[in-house]
Amino acid sequence: MAENNNARPRGSSGGRQGHGYQRPRDLGGTVRKLLKYVARYKLQLVIVMICLVLSSAGSIASSYLLKPLINDYILPGDFGGLLKMLLLMGGLFLLSALCAFAYARIMVHVSQHTVAALRQDLFNKLQTLPLQYFDTHQSGDLMSRFTNDIDTVSELINNSFASILSNTLTFFGTFIMMCVLNWRLTLVTVFFLSMMGLVVKFVGGRSRANFQRQQAALGAVNGYVEEMIEGQKVIKVFNHEQKAVARFSRLNTAYRDAATRAQAYSGSMMPAMGNLSRINYAVTCCVGGLLALGGVFDIGSMGAYLVYVRQVSQPVAQVSQQVNILLAAVAGAERIFAVMETEPEVDEGQTVLVRVETCGDTLTETERRTGRWAWKRPDGTLTELRGDVRFHDVDFGYTPEKTVLHDVSLWAEPGQKIAFVGSTGAGKTTITNLINRFYDIQHGTITYDGIDVKDIRKESLRRSLGIVLQDTHLFTGTVADNIRYGKLDATDAEVRAAARLVNADAFIRHLPQGYDTVITGDGGSLSQGERQLLAIARAAVSDPPVLILDEATSSIDTRTETLIEQGMDSLMEGRTVFVIAHRLSTVRNAQAILVLEQGRIIERGDHNYLLGQRGRYYQLYTGQAELS
């Protein structure tokens, strides 16, 4: 039976990060962080900028050529000159199109490489975070940052980035040409552009907030779906289908409402901009016509100016539309960077684990595989790895408000088997988590071979420990690969020897491809007992001096358990072993049995001694009390 989850700050589907709205902290800061990733491709970006300038210049220049085309060739009837001018305009349009094609292709390359680096950095960051972070965040919500949030960033870089720059260049170039043609008439356009700016500010501000809500709600939906898929068997056993559907319906409705609001504001941008653009065009035609009739404006300039009027509103409309994509991407990027800015797992340890060989009574560091290890302190001193683990007045709580362990002191000498028994939530699994330094204690010390575990580098500490958890997790890959996870450089012979040691070899050889059988879906095709056997074999192949068995045989029938114990006796020989078990028969041969209640050790001794005391252990063993 598992540890009491109430003792740990595990998040539920409600109230976790990603569920609910969090106002963007720093729009400019997030954009700058994204630009740092994009800036890794400076040469490509320089080429993109050149293509953007040429594309925009070609488009603007071809429109200006309407003025001489009308005034100097159409009105006088110079068809030869008209043909040359048309060819020139066609060349400019072709140049503009080729440059646009070139920068679009380059941005695809930049986009995919950028998001690949971002995704890699995000995954690397997750490997540095403490377990407490994963206790308080939905795995589905974290997965959403790798998929939906990364996709919005990819869309921004792939399409919107170049589009915003191109339209910005086109806008300013067009505006300058309009001023050159007729600055008075440009005042009319300035008025409508100001109106467009107000629309962008009003709609964009609300879009930003709603896109953030949309991304957060999507993360909550993904997190809940992931939980329900993993817990489908439990849902069916307890007839929880209707409640699961109802809960999903609420989350789905919240996502629908957030997405509807975000898309409603996003969708209203283009119609508003389009209507203002058409009104601007109509008013400009009227005013320009009056100026032309008054002799202030020639026909060619009028024609070119009207083209620019249509052009100048298009970049504004396009940018305003891209702003919505930008805001969605920033909302996603903020969620990504929120993970990447989380404080990593603290590791101030300087003592490392090294291979050693002996020459007389002297330990010497070596690169050869000798089967012997030692702790190497910062001053170069070597202390042989023996497996002596001690707790000295340890207090610990997963949160500051709730202390789980109170003044715990215990010792496990090399080669001893120490068993923990007690009710659910008593603190048994917590003690083993502290040995691994999955969490840091608030008070007291934990020593390993006389060295404070805080002074040992975590990688070295965990390399010296083998652990079999109650909740077995198998990875997609062959059976051999899953066993080899305990020691990545283990040979095939070592893998098979570990399997034989724990009596897993027989069932493995009966699998379709034996050790090469591919496991998928967390080993769904295997029984719970078979999955547990593979987890024990994984610990066996690592050959650790300290072994932690957290309900290692809880999912195995009594007959299989007997077979495993025969192999486990060999595995545990000469090792320090910590055992957590609800079956008291499995801990009878332990040198020391520790009885825990409410985070305190209330009894300690071997099986016979504790029975003679007629205390809590006696009550549990004789059935007068039950482990709950």
Side-chain angles (χ1 to χ4, degrees):
M1 191 171 293
E3 193 80 22
N4 185 1
N5 288 338
N6 292 332
R8 303 179 61 174
R10 293 188 180 275
S12 59
S13 56
R16 294 182 182 175
Q17 185 174 345
H19 181 54
Y21 168 60
Q22 297 176 353
R23 180 168 291 279
R25 296 170 296 171
D26 184 5
L27 175 62
T30 303
V31 172
R32 285 193 294 272
K33 292 169 191 173
L34 281 176
L35 289 177
K36 287 181 180 178
Y37 277 88
V38 179
R40 298 177 182 180
Y41 306 94
K42 294 183 176 63
L43 178 61
Q44 292 92 326
L45 291 176
V46 169
I47 297 174
V48 166
M49 286 302 301
I50 294 173
C51 292
L52 284 171
V53 171
L54 290 176
S55 177
S56 298
S59 176
I60 294 169
S62 61
S63 298
Y64 184 78
L65 291 179
L66 280 175
K67 177 181 177 180
L69 184 74
I70 295 173
N71 290 340
D72 301 337
Y73 300 104
I74 293 180
L75 293 180
D78 184 356
F79 294 104
L82 176 63
L83 179 60
K84 294 179 181 178
M85 185 60 67
L86 290 175
L87 290 174
L88 177 60
M89 292 179 66
L92 289 174
F93 278 123
L94 180 61
L95 173 65
S96 178
L98 289 175
C99 288
F101 175 78
Y103 74 66
R105 289 297 299 271
I106 294 173
M107 286 309 298
V108 170
H109 172 85
V110 172
S111 169
Q112 294 309 311
H113 282 73
T114 299
V115 296
L118 190 62
R119 191 184 295 113
Q120 184 67 56
D121 288 350
L122 179 59
F123 185 82
N124 292 346
K125 180 66 179 185
L126 285 181
Q127 308 314 305
T128 70
L129 297 180
L131 280 181
Q132 189 170 14
Y133 183 85
F134 298 96
D135 287 341
T136 54
H137 291 76
Q138 273 184 312
S139 57
D141 181 53
L142 292 175
M143 290 168 59
S144 181
R145 301 176 198 231
F146 280 93
T147 53
N148 301 303
D149 294 329
I150 288 286
D151 285 344
T152 61
V153 173
S154 176
E155 176 70 15
L156 169 66
I157 301 173
N158 192 27
N159 297 319
S160 302
F161 182 76
S163 177
I164 290 173
L165 290 177
S166 175
N167 283 295
T168 300
L169 290 172
T170 301
F171 171 78
F172 284 107
T174 302
F175 186 77
I176 291 172
M177 296 305 299
M178 292 173 68
C179 293
V180 170
L181 289 172
N182 192 298
W183 67 268
R184 296 179 182 85
L185 194 56
T186 304
L187 295 176
V188 176
T189 302
V190 169
F191 171 77
F192 283 99
L193 289 177
S194 300
M195 297 292 292
M196 292 180 184
L198 292 175
V199 171
V200 171
K201 182 178 180 180
F202 176 81
V203 177
R206 283 155 179 77
S207 293
R208 178 184 179 186
N210 283 287
F211 273 116
Q212 179 70 15
R213 292 189 180 96
Q214 174 184 304
Q215 292 301 112
L218 179 57
V221 169
N222 286 339
Y224 186 73
V225 169
E226 187 264 346
E227 280 188 349
M228 293 303 102
I229 291 175
E230 284 191 352
Q232 195 59 225
K233 184 179 293 184
V234 177
I235 292 173
K236 293 185 180 299
V237 166
F238 292 100
N239 297 315
H240 205 274
E241 291 92 341
Q242 293 302 318
K243 289 186 178 180
V245 169
R247 178 64 190 278
F248 178 79
S249 179
R250 290 194 296 272
L251 291 174
N252 193 35
T253 299
Y255 173 54
R256 179 202 65 193
D257 293 343
T260 299
R261 286 191 294 269
Q263 298 303 322
Y265 280 109
S266 173
S268 65
M269 184 80 76
M270 287 301 289
M273 302 298 285
N275 288 328
L276 286 173
S277 175
R278 284 186 283 271
I279 295 172
N280 177 32
Y281 187 80
V283 172
T284 301
C285 286
C286 295
V287 176
L290 294 175
L291 293 176
L293 291 175
V296 180
F297 216 16
D298 60 72
I299 299 300
S301 297
M302 179 68 178
Y305 190 91
L306 289 177
V307 172
Y308 282 136
V309 168
R310 298 302 299 266
Q311 284 185 347
V312 78
S313 60
Q314 289 176 3
V316 176
Q318 289 293 330
V319 169
S320 65
Q321 185 67 20
Q322 297 301 326
V323 163
N324 292 313
I325 298 176
L326 170 65
L327 294 173
V330 168
E334 282 184 338
R335 284 163 47 81
I336 294 169
F337 289 124
V339 176
M340 297 177 68
E341 292 168 358
T342 302
E343 287 296 322
E345 188 174 20
V346 178
D347 188 2
E348 299 173 350
Q350 298 297 317
T351 299
V352 297
L353 194 63
V354 296
R355 288 188 173 94
V356 293
E357 58 185 2
T358 57
C359 182
D361 294 331
T362 304
L363 294 175
T364 305
E365 185 177 352
T366 181
E367 294 296 327
R368 296 190 304 108
R369 294 188 180 184
T370 61
R372 301 192 65 180
W373 299 84
W375 301 110
K376 182 179 180 181
R377 300 174 187 261
D379 61 2
T381 304
L382 295 175
T383 301
E384 186 176 5
L385 173 61
R386 300 171 58 241
D388 186 297
V389 179
R390 298 173 185 267
F391 280 54
H392 307 274
D393 305 318
V394 170
D395 292 334
F396 171 75
Y398 290 102
T399 61
E401 300 79 19
K402 183 176 179 59
T403 301
V404 178
L405 297 180
H406 305 269
D407 194 28
V408 170
S409 294
L410 62 90
W411 59 94
E413 297 177 354
Q416 281 191 328
K417 179 180 179 181
I418 308 298
F420 299 106
V421 299
S423 303
T424 298
K428 305 182 297 296
T429 297
T430 298
I431 290 177
T432 59
N433 284 338
L434 298 182
I435 297 173
N436 282 279
R437 269 200 82 191
F438 288 152
Y439 304 90
D440 284 327
I441 60 178
Q442 282 81 37
H443 179 267
T445 56
I446 302 174
T447 60
Y448 194 156
D449 291 329
I451 305 170
D452 193 323
V453 293
K454 292 184 178 179
D455 296 330
I456 301 175
R457 191 172 298 171
K458 288 184 177 180
E459 179 184 1
S460 293
L461 174 66
R462 292 166 186 170
R463 186 191 301 173
S464 71
L465 300 168
I467 184 168
V468 181
L469 300 171
Q470 178 184 8
D471 298 325
T472 303
H473 183 77
L474 300 179
F475 299 91
T476 298
T478 65
V479 170
D481 289 338
N482 272 275
I483 296 176
R484 192 176 283 114
Y485 209 83
K487 182 183 178 184
L488 296 180
D489 59 352
T491 64
D492 289 343
E494 290 175 321
V495 168
R496 285 171 169 77
R500 286 193 295 270
L501 182 64
V502 299
N503 289 310
D505 179 71
F507 96 81
I508 293 175
R509 286 189 287 105
H510 283 87
L511 295 175
Q513 284 81 41
Y515 284 85
D516 294 324
T517 302
V518 176
I519 297 174
T520 58
D522 199 16
S525 60
L526 303 177
S527 70
Q528 185 66 29
E530 290 170 338
R531 295 170 70 244
Q532 198 79 41
L533 282 169
L534 292 182
I536 297 171
R538 180 189 293 166
V541 79
S542 66
D543 193 26
V546 175
L547 190 62
I548 299 171
L549 307 175
D550 185 355
E551 300 282 1
T553 58
S554 62
S555 302
I556 299 173
D557 60 79
T558 305
R559 178 180 177 278
T560 306
E561 182 180 12
T562 302
L563 293 175
I564 291 177
E565 285 183 349
Q566 295 173 2
M568 294 292 282
D569 288 340
S570 300
L571 176 63
M572 292 186 291
E573 185 176 350
R575 308 177 197 274
T576 305
V577 182
F578 294 94
V579 179
I580 299 174
H582 270 59
R583 296 178 184 173
L584 298 184
S585 59
T586 63
V587 300
R588 291 181 58 181
N589 62 344
Q591 282 83 0
I593 300 172
L594 278 63
V595 183
L596 285 87
E597 286 299 330
Q598 298 181 353
R600 301 180 187 275
I601 298 176
I602 60 174
E603 294 179 12
R604 177 188 175 107
D606 61 22
H607 174 72
N608 292 327
Y609 173 80
L610 293 178
L611 286 181
Q613 293 299 305
R614 292 183 173 269
R616 178 65 173 170
Y617 181 81
Y618 175 83
Q619 294 175 347
L620 295 172
Y621 190 79
T622 59
Q624 297 179 28
E626 293 184 359
L627 290 173
S628 57

